[in-house]
Amino acid sequence: MFINGFFDYNQVSYGEKYRGYPDNDQVINRLFDPRYIRIKVEDEDSAVDHFQVVNVDKNLDMQTGLVHELFSITTPENRNFNLVVESFASLSKQNVYGVKYAIIPTNFEGDIELIKLHDYVNQSTHQQSEDVRVNQDVGQMQLDFIPDNGQPSYLVTTFRSQQGIILTYQADQATDSNPEIDYFEDDNHHYGYHSKYHAKPGSQKEFEFLFSIGDIHPLVNARMYADQYLASLDNYIRNTSFNSELMASAQVWQTFWLHSDVKIDGDPVIQSCIRFNLFELNQSAGRDEFTSIPAKGLTGNGYGGQFFWDTEIFMLPFFVYTEPTIAKKLLMYRYHTLQMAKEQASDFGLEKGAMYAWRTINGYEASAYWLAGMAQFHINADIAFAVEQYYTITNDEDFLKKDGFEIILETARFWMQYGNFAQVNGKRHFVINRVTGPDEYSALVDNNYYTNVMAQFNLRLAAKYAEKFGDTDIPVQLNVTGEEIAEMKEAADLMYLPYDQEKNVKLQFQNFEQLPKMSISSIDQSRFPLLLHYHPLMLYRAQVNKQADTIMVDYMFPQGNTQDQLKADYDFYEPITTHDSSLSKAIYAIVAARIDRDQQAYDFFSQAVKTDLIDLHHNTKNGIHAGSLGAAWSGIVYGFAGIVNNADHFSLEPHLPDAWNCVKFRLQLHHCELLFTIYQDQVEVELMSGKGMALSVYNKKIKVTPEDPKQICQY
Amino acid sequence: MFINGFFDYNQVSYGEKYRGYPDNDQVINRLFDPRYIRIKVEDEDSAVDHFQVVNVDKNLDMQTGLVHELFSITTPENRNFNLVVESFASLSKQNVYGVKYAIIPTNFEGDIELIKLHDYVNQSTHQQSEDVRVNQDVGQMQLDFIPDNGQPSYLVTTFRSQQGIILTYQADQATDSNPEIDYFEDDNHHYGYHSKYHAKPGSQKEFEFLFSIGDIHPLVNARMYADQYLASLDNYIRNTSFNSELMASAQVWQTFWLHSDVKIDGDPVIQSCIRFNLFELNQSAGRDEFTSIPAKGLTGNGYGGQFFWDTEIFMLPFFVYTEPTIAKKLLMYRYHTLQMAKEQASDFGLEKGAMYAWRTINGYEASAYWLAGMAQFHINADIAFAVEQYYTITNDEDFLKKDGFEIILETARFWMQYGNFAQVNGKRHFVINRVTGPDEYSALVDNNYYTNVMAQFNLRLAAKYAEKFGDTDIPVQLNVTGEEIAEMKEAADLMYLPYDQEKNVKLQFQNFEQLPKMSISSIDQSRFPLLLHYHPLMLYRAQVNKQADTIMVDYMFPQGNTQDQLKADYDFYEPITTHDSSLSKAIYAIVAARIDRDQQAYDFFSQAVKTDLIDLHHNTKNGIHAGSLGAAWSGIVYGFAGIVNNADHFSLEPHLPDAWNCVKFRLQLHHCELLFTIYQDQVEVELMSGKGMALSVYNKKIKVTPEDPKQICQY
């Protein structure tokens, strides 16, 4: 069980440690599994004797969020019974988790005792992995029982991050199946629940529990928080039942699917995968403004449960277009950690601006390898880009003025501090040297194309809104001057973007063409992903990409590119890209779709969308690839539906895969909700709510209004 | 006590560990101090009671190598005595160390007992330092007494590096002052020496000991090595005495000073410093072909007691010109570790060639920070350069053919593998991307000027000797082909050397001019050295040099440079150089002397030469700066004497500091020994041995021969 944002520090050792290196990694805590149960059958005890457990069936109902598991269990003395475990994490009350057990003896009659006692913090997985992407469990949590509380209650605390959280559960009082609630205290003063009954073959007895999980709180006054929370349990798990809470949560899921589902006609495997992806995305997203979406969702502690650019660039589009209230909360996480980003810039030695952490939970940098960590400064522009995207689609001017502008301004300031004006090939330019772009098979390069385009965008945003809001709307303490804005505009206009005039190709970075090409096809399959099998420098010295880098630009800024340009870029980078990062294929799929490489687009998309449900990289055990899941949604909407969202106009140029009869999804745009139904040769757009808007399909302008809500557009 | 090459592994932790990162650091072991002594005075015992020790005097006699120390010691009961400790490490028998104690009571009469028992491996310093340049003691040694050996004998072993070494000592039997040799075995079966006598005020009693220290041997069969060694003690410390060994060693020192001394008339402080430097250099140099010169000599475990390019580039010139037999042994260390260098290249993924470790004892890379470690590939060319320098001066063709050529060839092969042909600014060049040059305030740059010039030199050397020796003299197993040599020549000819045509300045690396200049003068003094006070990236992104980098080229390859070129380079780099590395100032001094910046030359030289005797960087406690000591000698010979040593001709262009009346030194050149006496306006060259040779002073050709051994040349 992972709670978003509940983490501990893990001290980092360095062979050589320099100033500004993070002292600590941040790793999400692995809590006990609330599904755990101990069962005694006559004189046999699952805690002592070796019960043989066969998992017969495992099922996630994505419509309700219910996980249904069936186990066939045989004791050493050959007593066999079925155990059904049903569980869900509530979306209606985010603090609630429910689990229900049904026990059905098949070949014996006798006494069965069920004991629910979580007297350990589950650190039992003990993953041993050479894979740098896998985090070890931290194992510094302390679990204390809170006595005299009527029901088993725990305070889980961390020593180093100084966080506490309260967990409590109660047996379901609303049904007949648990006639007597029998909590106990054992010799160690540990509190649990047990129930004993006489069972006959084929009989079924059910036990239902609701867990309530408090908010993360500081360790100071932990008991006060605990008392307050436990006193408020009426709001969570009292006077309700497993089924009531499951229904309430399923209701939220139903609403989610109404607005966010993507229906694909003609491709059932992809249909399942995309729904699984959206389910995981929705379940993982932080909703409290102090958490974002871990790179592995809430399904593993890979990458420490930390937040990366994955959220803003790969996952946020889905939320912005379908759940803008969640999108805003995710952006507010960045606003609340802006102070840390400013501290980091100052500590690094810059006079102003904000330097967001490449990977973090609490806002401070947690990367122990700055070459592929802090040096990926593009995250600053990625966040500014996300603010603009949210604003463009939602028109939430209140957020932009109050919080968003400050993010845009401080990140733009970073670029002015870190970059500089310089002569390049005899011309004055703004350059950004010594950075790492998205592609982690390069590091510490000069003028990474993606970084520079993003910085340019960031600087222009700051200038645009500074001028739009003017002195009256911009807080005095931000100290914005006309001079500063003029310099930002100049820097953006003079931004150096390396380009090969002969090949007509955007260059990943300055000097990129000097590097020898790595022949990917000649490398043995066993040596992928390359980062696990080569010294980083062996990769840095060659033209080889882990993931889309310059192609990210063609994905995010298709405007102003000719088809020839997009094709030239694609043909240059695709052969040198290993897609060792799960963030790559969906992006390649989108650009491939735009240049009519239909089969490649579909192949890349399929692989991206299947990443986790099919476990394509054989590492889903370390957690899902949340960025890839989000990018797969983008693959449909930006790629196959071909949406382009300029600040002033929204358009579609669909390229549906041959196998698909139609794809259907809703988007929320400028306070309207539109339902798109895209066929091979036509698009239906239907206004589901809102005042209506204009858009275009293949340059044909259409308008949906409450009076004339549905338009069909053939092409 | 440090024994060159006696080291242990120290496991390195990394926040993120990638393939090819060294698992272990290598750290020279700190052994017990052989000067340690325990003294009992009546019922007071220095091992138990707090004796107050005042170091009255400490003296190193550089003519004999004898350290003389006088301590005034007062017991808690106010008994005072003087203790004189004299010690030396023998140069005539490298396994021998002598120590002699004299005890003189000043205010009491009574029994004195002297106990010599080393029953610990001295790990007691427990340095705690945030300074990445300081190594912690490893502390994994085990000390075992070897019983029944007649005298105290130890086997010291390391667990991880699996090395063993034998130490034994005996009390001096040759003088009257130790009338009875009394070894003892204590309750712990530890063996020592003690002597008790009745002392009167003013009386003096002496105790003399000779230690014998075996060679480093593998842990397997350690006892066999021990028995063999102990059986051979007649060769070392038996039938001899402290004084005999001191005399024999002093004789070697005398020969050393005869050939290697630098006599400066007019600058007594510099005179002392330079002698101290030469003393330390001579004492630190490995002479067994399996060790080199640790960066801190044998005076501390800073930098782990490891070998760097410091040896080949900063120290070797002194040995080549004055002690060529030692120079050869130092180069043979590189030959014996060539196999490791080839392994490393192969492991890195290169098809052939050798990749020497940036820092190492045993030949394998020990750097835990590859950006300023392995990526400093120039070490490969540095070693090839040193081979050529040794050959050019000694004409030792046997070494060159047998061993030197293989080093030159395999390092040249590395450049062909790591570098590549590419278009730069529309022209075909050979480029070497993604390297770190000598300056560690830059990293992972493209086409570092120094690296490329050195690689060019290395490639040309390989081609030159391949062609000179031809098929008959080159072993078949080296697989040299005409094609390969042709390609090396082409690469050398097309080597890309970044240059600013407008400013006429050699550029430290490609894109260097795009970086903003760091204003060194505006940085607070407390923030130097910058590497301890800034994140590395903050330094990498700016024009700021830790040490001479491009200026190294002007030092090592002055030929073909106009004075204007040298001045332009100097004026460009000097203001952005912090000299945070002790390898910097002596080099700047040499180039300053060549361009008649006499005062700057003298100032930089003075600071370099005073580094350790004056403790200029306040860190001599971590060990001397051996490279700086060597470079200071080069400062005199290359700088003030202005020697230039081409393969075919040797010349001088002296620029003596104003304060100096004259400087006098000997050099060994082409089997001749020449004595140079340089005045402000004339040079005397005298042939001391050999067949004579031609050379030039300020373009004036002179010749010294046995018949006409002395030439005076005015200018």
Side-chain angles (χ1 to χ4, degrees):
Chain A
M1 178 160 64
F2 297 103
I3 312 286
N4 200 343
F6 187 55
F7 75 98
D8 204 358
Y9 292 118
N10 203 4
Q11 207 181 344
V12 182
S13 298
Y14 300 88
E16 291 187 23
K17 186 179 179 187
Y18 290 94
R19 189 168 182 286
Y21 280 24
D23 291 319
N24 293 298
D25 194 7
Q26 300 164 30
V27 183
I28 194 166
N29 292 313
R30 188 188 295 273
L31 289 159
F32 59 68
D33 185 341
R35 284 149 61 255
Y36 173 77
I37 193 78
R38 173 178 171 190
I39 296 171
K40 288 187 187 173
V41 179
E42 291 286 332
D43 57 342
E44 299 185 277
D45 182 346
S46 69
V48 179
D49 305 308
H50 180 67
F51 284 29
Q52 196 189 354
V53 179
V54 177
N55 183 198
V56 180
D57 189 38
K58 190 170 211 164
N59 218 297
L60 165 65
D61 180 352
M62 294 193 278
Q63 285 197 291
T64 61
L66 186 72
V67 176
H68 177 98
E69 293 164 290
L70 169 60
F71 302 94
S72 170
I73 301 176
T74 312
T75 69
E77 293 181 17
N78 214 30
R79 294 186 182 95
N80 177 275
F81 61 97
N82 287 333
L83 172 68
V84 178
V85 182
E86 292 185 319
S87 57
F88 69 98
S90 171
L91 270 196
S92 58
K93 292 178 186 168
Q94 297 233 1
N95 298 63
V96 170
Y97 176 92
V99 58
K100 178 175 170 180
Y101 306 92
I103 298 175
I104 307 120
T106 62
N107 68 354
F108 69 94
E109 176 174 342
D111 283 347
I112 293 183
E113 187 177 3
L114 178 135
I115 302 166
K116 194 153 181 65
L117 171 66
H118 298 276
D119 54 359
Y120 59 97
V121 182
N122 184 359
Q123 300 294 332
S124 62
T125 57
H126 289 304
Q127 303 176 59
Q128 283 297 334
S129 175
E130 286 285 299
D131 189 331
V132 293
R133 302 165 299 180
V134 178
N135 275 78
Q136 302 306 306
D137 286 320
V138 177
Q140 289 290 318
M141 283 181 288
Q142 180 173 328
L143 181 142
D144 294 304
F145 283 84
I146 302 173
D148 308 324
N149 192 54
Q151 65 193 51
S153 302
Y154 309 88
L155 174 61
V156 181
T157 52
T158 64
F159 293 113
R160 292 183 284 198
S161 65
Q162 299 275 302
Q163 290 184 337
I165 202 166
I166 300 121
L167 297 97
T168 183
Y169 65 86
Q170 64 181 43
D172 196 322
Q173 299 168 313
T175 68
D176 287 346
S177 61
N178 296 354
E180 56 208 55
I181 306 294
D182 192 359
Y183 299 122
F184 68 89
E185 178 180 352
D186 72 8
D187 297 344
N188 301 316
H189 304 291
H190 292 173
Y191 297 84
Y193 162 91
H194 70 144
S195 177
K196 191 168 178 177
Y197 70 102
H198 190 77
K200 291 187 173 169
S203 71
Q204 169 161 345
K205 196 163 175 81
E206 293 180 356
F207 302 86
E208 301 177 4
F209 300 89
L210 286 175
F211 280 77
S212 180
I213 297 150
D215 297 327
I216 299 162
H217 58 257
L219 208 52
V220 182
N221 293 329
R223 277 308 302 266
M224 185 199 76
Y225 281 95
D227 292 344
Q228 279 177 6
Y229 185 74
L230 294 173
S232 69
L233 283 186
D234 284 355
N235 301 328
Y236 303 112
I237 53 172
R238 293 226 170 105
N239 311 316
T240 181
S241 70
F242 179 91
N243 280 336
S244 308
E245 290 307 319
L246 175 60
M247 288 304 134
S249 177
Q251 184 66 43
V252 179
W253 277 113
Q254 200 173 333
T255 307
F256 168 77
W257 288 117
L258 176 69
H259 296 289
S260 303
D261 194 18
V262 174
K263 290 194 181 74
I264 297 168
D265 182 6
D267 204 338
V269 174
I270 297 288
Q271 174 71 78
S272 298
C273 289
I274 190 78
R275 283 196 174 129
F276 175 75
N277 294 358
L278 301 183
F279 181 91
E280 289 293 346
L281 275 182
N282 189 52
Q283 196 169 51
S284 305
R287 287 156 165 85
D288 61 358
E289 300 193 359
F290 291 91
T291 51
S292 181
I293 310 179
K296 296 281 181 185
L298 291 170
T299 63
N301 72 354
Y303 294 116
Q306 295 164 18
F307 316 130
F308 296 68
W309 72 317
D310 304 36
T311 303
E312 280 74 18
I313 299 299
F314 297 90
M315 301 183 239
L316 206 74
F318 166 70
F319 290 101
V320 170
Y321 279 110
T322 71
E323 298 191 275
T325 52
I326 292 181
K328 181 174 182 174
K329 287 183 188 299
L330 292 170
L331 290 171
M332 285 305 291
Y333 163 75
R334 293 298 189 181
Y335 181 73
H336 292 307
T337 52
L338 180 59
Q339 193 50 46
M340 291 78 158
K342 287 170 74 174
E343 255 177 62
Q344 292 190 150
S346 164
D347 191 55
F348 186 67
L350 305 182
E351 281 167 26
K352 50 183 178 172
M355 234 168 83
Y356 276 102
W358 173 246
R359 49 187 295 175
T360 187
I361 293 174
N362 67 0
Y364 292 104
E365 184 62 64
S367 170
Y369 182 58
W370 63 263
L371 280 179
M374 188 188 73
Q376 293 199 49
F377 294 120
H378 63 81
I379 185 146
N380 294 291
D382 299 334
I383 292 169
F385 179 94
V387 168
E388 170 70 354
Q389 185 176 51
Y390 170 78
Y391 171 67
T392 306
I393 292 163
T394 63
N395 304 124
D396 182 351
E397 192 143 330
D398 186 52
F399 166 77
L400 182 66
K401 267 193 197 158
K402 211 164 144 292
D403 309 313
F405 175 69
E406 201 174 330
I407 292 175
I408 289 170
L409 176 72
E410 296 294 355
T411 48
R413 282 174 164 167
F414 165 77
W415 297 115
M416 295 308 294
Q417 290 279 314
Y418 193 77
N420 55 284
F421 292 97
Q423 295 292 118
V424 186
N425 303 328
K427 282 180 68 180
R428 185 158 187 264
H429 281 288
F430 192 78
V431 294
I432 306 174
N433 302 309
R434 314 276 84 194
V435 306
T436 299
D439 167 40
E440 292 178 341
Y441 287 171
S442 307
L444 222 51
V445 302
D446 298 333
N447 293 304
N448 168 256
Y449 200 103
Y450 174 82
T451 304
N452 285 20
V453 163
M454 292 295 286
Q456 184 181 49
F457 185 80
N458 193 351
L459 290 165
R460 286 188 172 144
L461 278 185
K464 178 171 88 175
Y465 292 123
E467 287 173 350
K468 180 177 171 183
F469 297 147
D471 291 347
T472 47
D473 276 351
I474 298 176
V476 172
Q477 65 269 24
L478 293 184
N479 282 318
V480 180
T481 67
E483 247 178 352
E484 182 178 23
I485 296 306
E487 209 182 18
M488 285 183 180
K489 284 161 81 170
E490 191 190 6
D493 290 344
L494 296 181
M495 186 66 69
Y496 181 67
L497 299 174
Y499 190 82
D500 181 320
Q501 297 290 351
E502 273 178 44
K503 297 200 190 90
N504 288 322
V505 163
K506 301 186 179 96
L507 291 175
Q508 189 172 334
F509 47 83
Q510 214 178 346
N511 304 0
F512 183 71
E513 285 187 299
Q514 289 174 201
L515 305 181
K517 274 193 207 302
M518 196 174 218
S519 168
I520 294 176
S521 58
S522 68
I523 298 171
D524 192 86
Q525 278 306 313
S526 66
R527 302 199 77 179
F528 292 90
L530 302 180
L531 84 151
L532 299 187
H533 301 96
Y534 286 93
H535 192 288
L537 187 50
M538 192 65 184
L539 304 173
Y540 296 170
R541 69 176 280 278
Q543 287 185 8
V544 57
N545 277 6
K546 185 182 175 195
Q547 65 205 99
D549 189 303
T550 314
I551 294 300
M552 287 296 299
V553 177
D554 290 345
Y555 155 54
M556 290 165 72
F557 300 94
Q559 311 94 315
N561 281 287
T562 62
Q563 282 280 306
D564 282 347
Q565 179 67 63
L566 296 180
K567 282 178 189 164
D569 294 341
Y570 187 91
D571 288 337
F572 186 83
Y573 289 104
E574 199 280 320
I576 55 172
T577 303
T578 64
H579 306 290
D580 285 344
S581 160
S582 65
L583 300 177
S584 191
K585 284 183 175 163
I587 305 305
Y588 267 91
I590 293 168
V591 178
R594 285 182 185 154
I595 57 173
D596 301 319
R597 304 281 173 89
D598 294 345
Q599 191 56 45
Q600 274 206 320
Y602 183 71
D603 290 346
F604 279 137
F605 169 79
S606 301
Q607 290 166 43
V609 79
K610 290 176 184 171
T611 298
D612 288 314
L613 197 59
I614 315 286
D615 193 11
L616 223 55
H617 300 215
H618 309 295
N619 63 2
T620 299
K621 66 178 184 295
N622 303 326
I624 56 152
H625 302 74
S628 181
L629 306 187
W633 181 88
S634 299
I636 294 173
V637 173
Y638 287 98
F640 300 135
I643 72 164
V644 174
N645 190 59
N646 284 336
D648 49 357
H649 191 68
F650 181 89
S651 67
L652 282 83
E653 298 194 355
H655 304 74
L656 223 54
D658 288 343
W660 296 10
N661 298 321
C662 123
V663 61
K664 211 186 252 255
F665 56 83
R666 296 184 187 208
L667 300 181
Q668 299 191 35
L669 285 159
H670 314 306
H671 307 293
C672 299
E673 185 174 55
L674 303 182
L675 169 64
F676 294 90
T677 311
I678 301 174
Y679 298 91
Q680 288 289 348
D681 54 2
Q682 75 174 38
V683 169
E684 287 175 26
V685 185
E686 187 176 354
L687 180 67
M688 307 305 287
S689 69
K691 292 179 180 170
M693 61 178 280
L695 64 158
S696 62
V697 179
Y698 273 113
N699 294 322
K700 190 171 168 190
K701 295 213 161 131
I702 58 173
K703 196 170 179 179
V704 285
T705 62
E707 296 73 33
D708 191 5
K710 190 165 178 177
Q711 295 287 337
I712 296 176
C713 192
Q714 290 178 329
Y715 47 85
Chain B
M1 179 162 61
F2 297 102
I3 312 287
N4 199 344
F6 188 55
F7 76 98
D8 205 358
Y9 293 117
N10 203 5
Q11 205 181 347
V12 182
S13 298
Y14 301 88
E16 290 187 21
K17 184 177 180 188
Y18 289 93
R19 189 168 182 285
Y21 281 26
D23 291 320
N24 292 298
D25 196 6
Q26 300 163 30
V27 184
I28 193 166
N29 292 314
R30 187 188 296 275
L31 289 159
F32 60 68
D33 185 341
R35 284 148 62 256
Y36 172 76
I37 194 76
R38 174 178 169 189
I39 296 171
K40 288 187 186 174
V41 179
E42 291 285 331
D43 58 343
E44 299 184 278
D45 182 347
S46 69
V48 179
D49 305 309
H50 181 68
F51 284 29
Q52 196 189 354
V53 179
V54 178
N55 182 199
V56 179
D57 189 38
K58 189 170 210 164
N59 218 297
L60 165 65
D61 180 351
M62 292 193 280
Q63 285 198 291
T64 61
L66 186 71
V67 176
H68 177 99
E69 295 164 289
L70 170 59
F71 303 93
S72 171
I73 301 177
T74 312
T75 70
E77 290 178 20
N78 215 29
R79 295 186 180 94
N80 179 276
F81 61 97
N82 287 335
L83 172 68
V84 178
V85 183
E86 292 184 320
S87 57
F88 71 98
S90 170
L91 270 196
S92 59
K93 292 181 186 165
Q94 298 234 2
N95 298 62
V96 170
Y97 176 92
V99 59
K100 177 176 172 180
Y101 307 91
I103 298 175
I104 308 121
T106 62
N107 68 352
F108 70 95
E109 174 175 345
D111 285 347
I112 292 183
E113 187 178 2
L114 178 132
I115 302 165
K116 191 150 184 69
L117 173 65
H118 298 276
D119 54 358
Y120 58 96
V121 182
N122 184 359
Q123 299 294 333
S124 64
T125 56
H126 290 305
Q127 305 175 59
Q128 284 295 333
S129 175
E130 287 284 300
D131 189 331
V132 293
R133 301 164 301 180
V134 178
N135 275 77
Q136 304 304 307
D137 286 320
V138 177
Q140 289 290 318
M141 282 181 288
Q142 180 173 328
L143 182 143
D144 293 304
F145 283 84
I146 302 173
D148 310 324
N149 192 54
Q151 64 191 53
S153 303
Y154 310 89
L155 174 62
V156 181
T157 51
T158 63
F159 292 113
R160 291 182 285 200
S161 65
Q162 298 275 305
Q163 289 184 337
I165 203 166
I166 299 121
L167 296 98
T168 183
Y169 66 87
Q170 65 182 43
D172 197 318
Q173 298 168 312
T175 69
D176 286 345
S177 61
N178 295 352
E180 57 206 57
I181 306 295
D182 193 358
Y183 299 122
F184 68 90
E185 177 181 353
D186 73 7
D187 298 343
N188 300 317
H189 305 290
H190 292 175
Y191 297 84
Y193 162 91
H194 70 144
S195 176
K196 192 169 177 177
Y197 69 104
H198 190 78
K200 293 186 174 171
S203 72
Q204 170 162 342
K205 197 162 175 77
E206 293 181 357
F207 303 86
E208 301 176 4
F209 300 89
L210 286 176
F211 281 77
S212 181
I213 298 150
D215 297 326
I216 299 162
H217 58 256
L219 207 51
V220 181
N221 294 328
R223 274 308 304 265
M224 183 198 75
Y225 282 95
D227 292 344
Q228 279 177 6
Y229 185 74
L230 293 173
S232 69
L233 282 186
D234 284 355
N235 301 328
Y236 303 112
I237 53 175
R238 294 228 169 104
N239 311 316
T240 181
S241 70
F242 179 91
N243 281 335
S244 308
E245 291 307 318
L246 176 59
M247 288 306 136
S249 178
Q251 185 64 42
V252 179
W253 277 113
Q254 203 174 326
T255 308
F256 168 77
W257 289 116
L258 176 68
H259 297 289
S260 303
D261 194 17
V262 174
K263 292 195 181 71
I264 297 169
D265 182 6
D267 204 339
V269 174
I270 296 288
Q271 174 70 79
S272 298
C273 288
I274 191 77
R275 284 196 173 128
F276 175 75
N277 293 359
L278 301 183
F279 182 91
E280 289 292 347
L281 274 182
N282 189 50
Q283 196 170 52
S284 305
R287 287 154 164 86
D288 61 358
E289 301 193 358
F290 291 90
T291 50
S292 181
I293 310 179
K296 297 280 181 186
L298 290 171
T299 63
N301 71 354
Y303 294 117
Q306 296 163 18
F307 317 129
F308 296 69
W309 73 317
D310 304 36
T311 302
E312 281 73 19
I313 299 300
F314 297 91
M315 302 183 239
L316 205 74
F318 166 70
F319 291 101
V320 171
Y321 279 110
T322 71
E323 297 190 274
T325 53
I326 293 182
K328 182 175 180 173
K329 287 184 188 295
L330 293 170
L331 290 171
M332 284 306 292
Y333 163 74
R334 294 299 189 180
Y335 181 73
H336 292 307
T337 52
L338 180 60
Q339 194 50 45
M340 291 78 157
K342 287 170 72 175
E343 253 177 62
Q344 292 189 152
S346 164
D347 191 54
F348 186 67
L350 305 182
E351 281 167 26
K352 49 184 178 172
M355 236 169 84
Y356 275 103
W358 173 246
R359 50 187 295 176
T360 186
I361 293 174
N362 67 359
Y364 293 103
E365 184 61 64
S367 169
Y369 182 59
W370 65 262
L371 280 179
M374 188 187 72
Q376 293 198 49
F377 295 119
H378 63 82
I379 184 144
N380 294 292
D382 300 335
I383 292 168
F385 179 95
V387 169
E388 170 70 355
Q389 186 175 50
Y390 169 78
Y391 171 68
T392 305
I393 293 163
T394 63
N395 303 125
D396 182 351
E397 192 144 328
D398 187 53
F399 165 77
L400 182 66
K401 266 193 199 158
K402 210 165 144 293
D403 308 315
F405 175 69
E406 200 173 331
I407 292 176
I408 289 170
L409 176 72
E410 297 294 355
T411 49
R413 282 173 166 169
F414 165 78
W415 298 115
M416 294 309 293
Q417 289 279 315
Y418 193 77
N420 55 284
F421 292 98
Q423 295 290 119
V424 185
N425 302 327
K427 282 179 66 180
R428 187 156 187 264
H429 282 288
F430 192 79
V431 294
I432 307 174
N433 302 308
R434 315 276 81 194
V435 306
T436 299
D439 167 40
E440 292 178 341
Y441 287 171
S442 306
L444 223 52
V445 303
D446 298 332
N447 293 304
N448 170 257
Y449 200 102
Y450 174 82
T451 303
N452 285 20
V453 163
M454 292 296 286
Q456 186 180 49
F457 185 79
N458 194 350
L459 290 166
R460 286 186 172 147
L461 278 186
K464 180 171 84 174
Y465 291 124
E467 287 172 351
K468 180 176 171 184
F469 296 147
D471 290 348
T472 47
D473 276 351
I474 297 176
V476 171
Q477 65 269 25
L478 293 183
N479 283 317
V480 180
T481 67
E483 247 180 351
E484 182 178 25
I485 297 305
E487 208 182 19
M488 285 183 179
K489 285 162 81 171
E490 190 190 7
D493 290 343
L494 295 181
M495 187 66 70
Y496 181 66
L497 300 173
Y499 190 82
D500 181 320
Q501 298 289 351
E502 273 179 43
K503 298 199 189 91
N504 289 322
V505 163
K506 301 186 179 93
L507 292 174
Q508 187 172 335
F509 48 82
Q510 212 178 351
N511 302 0
F512 183 71
E513 284 188 300
Q514 288 173 202
L515 306 181
K517 272 192 208 303
M518 196 173 218
S519 169
I520 294 175
S521 58
S522 66
I523 298 171
D524 192 84
Q525 278 304 314
S526 66
R527 302 200 76 179
F528 291 90
L530 301 180
L531 84 153
L532 299 186
H533 300 95
Y534 286 92
H535 191 288
L537 187 49
M538 192 66 183
L539 305 172
Y540 297 169
R541 70 176 279 280
Q543 286 184 7
V544 58
N545 277 7
K546 185 182 175 195
Q547 66 206 94
D549 188 304
T550 315
I551 294 301
M552 287 296 299
V553 177
D554 289 344
Y555 155 54
M556 291 165 70
F557 301 94
Q559 312 94 313
N561 281 287
T562 62
Q563 282 282 307
D564 283 349
Q565 179 66 63
L566 296 179
K567 280 178 188 164
D569 294 342
Y570 187 93
D571 288 338
F572 187 82
Y573 290 104
E574 198 281 320
I576 55 172
T577 302
T578 63
H579 306 290
D580 286 344
S581 161
S582 66
L583 300 177
S584 192
K585 283 182 177 163
I587 304 305
Y588 266 92
I590 293 168
V591 178
R594 287 184 184 154
I595 56 173
D596 302 320
R597 304 281 174 87
D598 295 344
Q599 190 57 45
Q600 273 205 322
Y602 183 72
D603 290 347
F604 277 137
F605 169 78
S606 303
Q607 289 167 45
V609 81
K610 290 176 183 170
T611 298
D612 287 315
L613 197 60
I614 315 286
D615 194 10
L616 222 57
H617 299 214
H618 309 296
N619 62 3
T620 300
K621 67 177 184 293
N622 303 326
I624 56 153
H625 302 74
S628 182
L629 306 186
W633 181 88
S634 299
I636 293 174
V637 173
Y638 288 96
F640 300 137
I643 73 164
V644 173
N645 189 59
N646 283 336
D648 49 356
H649 193 67
F650 182 87
S651 66
L652 283 82
E653 299 193 354
H655 305 74
L656 223 54
D658 289 344
W660 295 10
N661 297 321
C662 126
V663 63
K664 210 186 252 256
F665 55 83
R666 297 186 186 205
L667 301 181
Q668 299 190 35
L669 284 160
H670 313 305
H671 306 294
C672 300
E673 186 174 53
L674 303 181
L675 170 64
F676 295 89
T677 312
I678 301 173
Y679 298 91
Q680 288 289 345
D681 53 3
Q682 74 173 39
V683 169
E684 287 176 24
V685 185
E686 186 176 354
L687 181 66
M688 306 306 285
S689 70
K691 295 180 178 169
M693 61 177 280
L695 63 159
S696 63
V697 178
Y698 274 112
N699 294 322
K700 188 171 168 189
K701 296 214 159 133
I702 58 173
K703 196 169 181 180
V704 286
T705 60
E707 297 71 35
D708 191 7
K710 191 166 179 177
Q711 295 289 335
I712 296 176
C713 192
Q714 289 179 329
Y715 48 87

